[in-house]
Each structure stands twice: as structure tokens, then as C-alpha cells.
Amino acid sequence: MRNICALLVLLFAFRFASARDSEKSLQEWIGDPSQGTFQGTIRLSGKTHGDYHRGYRCPSYEAATFVVSIVEKAHLHEKTPKTLRATLLRSLAGQSCEPAAAGQYRPLQLGNASQIDNGPEAGEEWTALRVQAPDGAEIGLVYDASIYAIDD
């Protein structure tokens, strides 16, 4: 019984420290202007950026993290940007993620990230986020946080 109590205390302490570290990394991410954040929000125009949108609204944070994890795993066998982006777009559709509407999105939780290298000084940095959407709903967002994805 004593060992179980000690284990529970350790698990609680680890969970508390992980949540605190996660919140710290979210605040650092939001505070880094290279992520495309401004005053704690992400502004999306809803327009197409090249052949994709800078942000995709997913029904949940879990759906957004799943999409980004598929791109991460695709790096093991796929190398071309075109193939990786096709994997991203298929995964988005499979998780019912759609282009995000124009507006301000407030990041609430930072998830995983995966990059697609498009060559010298060009790339995409897909980040999974839990956000508050302009309509007030908490949703998942798959967001291109790269400095190359200018969203006017």
C-alpha cells in the first residue's frame, strides 16, 4: 500500500510538472514573433497560400495532433515536399479538417510540429494547436507557423 501511495504521489508530481512545462513552452511559442503570433493571437486571412491554406480547422485538438503526427511519420519514407504535402492534405481530409476561416485564433495548447522542407529559405512548419476560434469554440488547428507563409 505504501508503494502505491508513493507511486501516486510521483505520478501527480510528474503530471503537474509536465503541465507547467507545457504551459511554459506554449507561452514561449506565443512570445516568439517568428511563429506569426501577434499580441497572443494568430491572425488568419482564410486565403489560399500557394496551393494550401496556412491554417486548417479540425473538430478537436486530438485530430490536429493526429494530422501532424502523420506528416512526421511520413518523413521516414517520403522525402519530396510534394509527396509530404499530399500526405498532409489527405490526413486533413481524413480528420474532417477544413481551411480555417479568417479571424483571430488564440492558442491554448501547443502540440507537435513537423516541417516540410521546400528548398533553400523555404519551408512549412505545421504545428498542432488547441485554439479558441473567432466564434469562441475550442477547436484543433493545424497551422503553418513558418516565416515563409505570409498571410495577408
Side-chain angles (χ1 to χ4, degrees):
M1 184 68 166
R2 187 185 222 182
N3 288 340
I4 292 172
C5 289
L7 180 61
L8 289 173
V9 168
L10 283 174
L11 288 173
F12 177 76
F14 176 74
R15 181 175 171 90
F16 178 75
S18 295
R20 195 175 63 227
D21 289 345
S22 176
E23 180 63 26
K24 180 181 175 188
S25 60
L26 172 64
Q27 292 308 314
E28 289 173 355
W29 188 89
I30 290 170
D32 181 354
S34 71
Q35 304 298 344
T37 58
F38 180 71
Q39 296 181 342
T41 63
I42 297 167
R43 184 185 150 281
L44 293 176
S45 70
K47 297 178 183 177
T48 302
H49 174 76
D51 59 349
Y52 66 91
H53 289 266
R54 187 164 191 194
Y56 290 88
R57 180 182 178 133
C58 299
S60 67
Y61 171 70
E62 292 76 19
T65 59
F66 180 81
V67 168
V68 175
S69 70
I70 292 298
V71 177
E72 287 178 276
K73 289 177 185 161
H75 278 282
L76 297 174
H77 53 84
E78 302 293 344
K79 302 299 180 203
T80 67
K82 184 177 179 180
T83 307
L84 290 168
R85 178 139 350 99
T87 300
L88 169 76
L89 295 174
R90 276 193 311 274
S91 184
L92 286 163
Q95 293 299 308
S96 300
C97 302
E98 298 178 347
Q104 303 280 2
Y105 293 78
R106 182 165 307 281
L108 303 171
Q109 186 174 357
L110 178 63
N112 50 340
S114 184
Q115 296 184 345
I116 297 177
D117 182 5
N118 294 318
E121 296 189 25
E124 301 162 30
E125 185 179 325
W126 293 101
T127 304
L129 297 163
R130 184 170 59 87
V131 298
Q132 182 178 24
D135 62 7
E138 283 191 17
I139 59 163
L141 184 71
V142 177
Y143 170 65
D144 181 6
S146 71
I147 59 172
Y148 309 107
I150 299 181
D151 200 35
D152 50 15

